[in-house]
Amino acid sequence: MRRLVSYALVSLLAAATAHAGDATPLQVRIGYLGYRPDPGPLLSNVIAEPADAGLRGAELAIVDSNSTGRFLKHDYRLESASVDTPEALLQAARAQHDQGLRLFVVNAPAASLRQLSAALPDSLLFNAGSPDDSLRTTDCLGNVLHSLPDRAMLADALVQFSVVRKWQRALLIVGQTPEDQAYAAALRRAMKRFGMKIVAEKTWQFDNDQRRSAQADMPLFTQTAEYDVVLVADERGDFGEYLPYQTWYPRPVAGTQGLTPTGWHKTVETYGAAQLQKRFEALAGRWMNDRDFAAWIAVRSIASAVGKLRQDAPLAIRQLALSDQLPLDGFKGRKLSYRPWNGQLRQPIALIQPRALVSTSPQDGFLHPSNEMDSLGYDQPEVSCRYP
């Protein structure tokens, strides 16, 4: 009798295994759309940004997703398009959409993201390239989730650390581009929010090469009422790299240069991040940056949702992502999740100097009624749009 029962169990197991082996894999196709505007002539151009930032992170996430997805009979594939104009980006997006793709990772400015959101209403887009605050506050796009931190999150992370260090007085220096103005606005908001004071604000209006004249120009330019820290808004890198060690008062420099808040950096190594860094370097031959991580976590968000749902329908993935039920590990020591009011990924923010991790925000003591990571960026009462 025991032999008959054992034989029956073995037969059932064999049949189940055979059925699983015959099952058609679920093919999950993800489009990567990349467009970065020409930054123009840069004065701080010694170390160029990688041209494939973002794309390589998405490629690694496909490898990682397939390594676990094969047990569930899930096959992940990436179809990428990196172009040099907004028109070409829209054309590439429509071509991928015509081929049946409905899941996209987008590394592009805010204007292009808005255009893609309107052109692909039945799709789900992950914003891995624009830190624009308005995308999360006033004109939230219902079919877009944000895996890249916005400027408000970065500024809040930095100012929290400044308050902890008792840097209460700041000299704010702002570049001339719209992006610099947006970063400065985020810093002003954060300083007002956490009680820092701006003793002076100056706009950088010079066009000379600071590699030749920093020692002469910077001390005089930063001469003003005494400050504890110099905050700089220079996203393009026109002058900010030449502020450290050249200020009128011997003070730290922070913001887009100096002590910098970022979603990812080579020096992040805890909670398994070192293994992610090594896998990325083996694939790309360089360090992983914030755009790479944003694209990586976007693809991993899709894969985690598909693994739980057993389907790749964009609406179902979006609904799961905006709930608190999406299993998502980003090697940051805390459970990551998307805010249901604007689709922004909650995540700790690293504060780094070029070759070391200095701290991680949110800082101890900055509390929140429900989730301390919501002390970074725009909280629900501050957002006018509402996700359906």
Side-chain angles (χ1 to χ4, degrees):
M1 183 64 179
R2 288 182 179 177
R3 290 181 180 178
L4 289 174
V5 172
S6 299
Y7 179 77
L9 290 174
V10 171
S11 299
L12 287 172
L13 180 60
T17 304
H19 177 73
D22 293 339
T24 302
L26 172 61
Q27 188 176 100
V28 183
R29 301 166 65 203
I30 302 171
Y32 175 87
L33 301 169
Y35 158 60
R36 304 306 301 170
D38 183 355
L42 302 184
L43 302 180
S44 304
N45 59 359
V46 177
I47 303 176
E49 291 295 318
D52 57 357
L55 173 59
R56 306 299 261 168
E59 290 174 345
L60 178 61
I62 292 293
V63 174
D64 292 346
S65 299
N66 279 324
S67 67
T68 55
R70 67 176 182 269
F71 298 106
L72 300 173
K73 301 298 179 182
H74 295 169
D75 178 26
Y76 295 90
R77 299 187 183 183
L78 186 72
E79 300 182 25
S80 64
S82 296
V83 298
D84 55 6
T85 67
E87 295 76 17
L89 186 73
L90 182 59
Q91 183 178 2
R94 285 174 170 161
Q96 291 185 354
H97 185 271
D98 290 343
Q99 295 166 8
L101 276 72
R102 297 295 184 270
L103 301 170
F104 297 90
V105 177
V106 182
N107 180 11
S112 291
L113 186 65
R114 293 186 183 98
Q115 192 176 36
L116 292 174
S117 173
L120 308 173
D122 61 344
S123 302
L124 180 61
L125 288 66
F126 284 81
N127 169 27
S130 175
D132 189 89
D133 286 333
S134 66
L135 292 172
R136 287 86 162 173
T137 57
T138 56
D139 56 349
C140 300
L141 309 173
N143 60 342
V144 176
L145 302 177
H146 308 277
S147 56
L148 186 75
D150 58 16
R151 291 187 179 95
M153 292 176 66
L154 302 179
D156 285 347
L158 177 60
V159 172
Q160 281 189 11
F161 179 77
S162 299
V163 171
V164 169
R165 298 293 297 171
K166 302 189 183 306
W167 301 341
Q168 298 289 352
R169 302 168 298 175
L171 166 61
L172 178 60
I173 302 178
V174 186
Q176 301 182 55
T177 69
E179 292 77 16
D180 296 341
Q181 298 296 325
Y183 197 98
L187 287 172
R188 294 188 202 99
R189 169 189 170 274
M191 285 187 278
K192 182 178 180 181
R193 188 181 193 189
F194 296 117
M196 280 187 68
K197 178 184 178 183
I198 300 176
V199 299
E201 179 174 333
K202 296 190 175 186
T203 300
W204 182 259
Q205 297 178 331
F206 305 94
D207 59 1
N208 54 313
D209 190 339
Q210 286 305 304
R211 287 172 291 187
R212 298 182 177 90
S213 56
Q215 288 182 323
D217 290 345
M218 289 303 184
L220 292 177
F221 183 73
T222 56
Q223 185 177 7
T224 184
E226 189 170 0
Y227 42 83
D228 302 315
V229 60
V230 177
L231 298 181
V232 56
D234 175 27
E235 288 197 354
R236 203 168 68 168
D238 285 331
F239 63 91
E241 300 294 348
Y242 303 100
L243 276 167
Y245 313 108
Q246 304 287 359
T247 55
W248 181 259
Y249 296 105
R251 300 292 185 265
V253 173
T256 51
Q257 284 80 30
L259 179 66
T260 305
T262 182
W264 194 260
H265 191 262
K266 164 67 176 176
T267 56
V268 177
E269 295 183 316
T270 55
Y271 305 109
Q275 286 69 38
L276 177 63
Q277 303 275 17
K278 290 178 181 177
R279 295 201 308 275
F280 181 85
E281 290 171 21
L283 174 75
R286 61 171 177 81
W287 290 3
M288 190 180 207
N289 65 19
D290 59 340
R291 262 61 177 181
D292 295 311
F293 180 80
W296 180 87
I297 197 67
V299 173
R300 292 299 296 144
S301 297
I302 294 172
S304 296
V306 171
K308 188 177 181 66
L309 296 168
R310 301 295 194 269
Q311 60 168 304
D312 62 348
L315 182 59
I317 293 174
R318 176 188 176 280
Q319 289 176 337
L320 178 61
L322 293 176
S323 73
D324 59 355
Q325 301 301 312
L326 179 65
L328 192 58
D329 180 16
F331 301 103
K332 290 194 170 190
R334 306 186 193 191
K335 179 185 176 182
L336 308 187
S337 60
Y338 289 89
R339 291 171 179 158
W341 56 88
N342 63 1
Q344 173 64 56
L345 181 68
R346 297 181 177 101
Q347 55 183 302
I349 300 298
L351 299 170
I352 59 98
Q353 54 107 330
R355 303 188 76 87
L357 175 66
V358 177
S359 185
T360 301
S361 290
Q363 299 290 313
D364 291 341
F366 290 85
L367 305 178
H368 187 273
S370 57
N371 189 323
E372 63 179 359
M373 283 191 286
D374 286 337
S375 68
L376 304 178
Y378 285 92
D379 203 356
Q380 187 168 4
E382 303 174 283
V383 174
S384 61
C385 57
R386 290 291 180 269
Y387 270 30

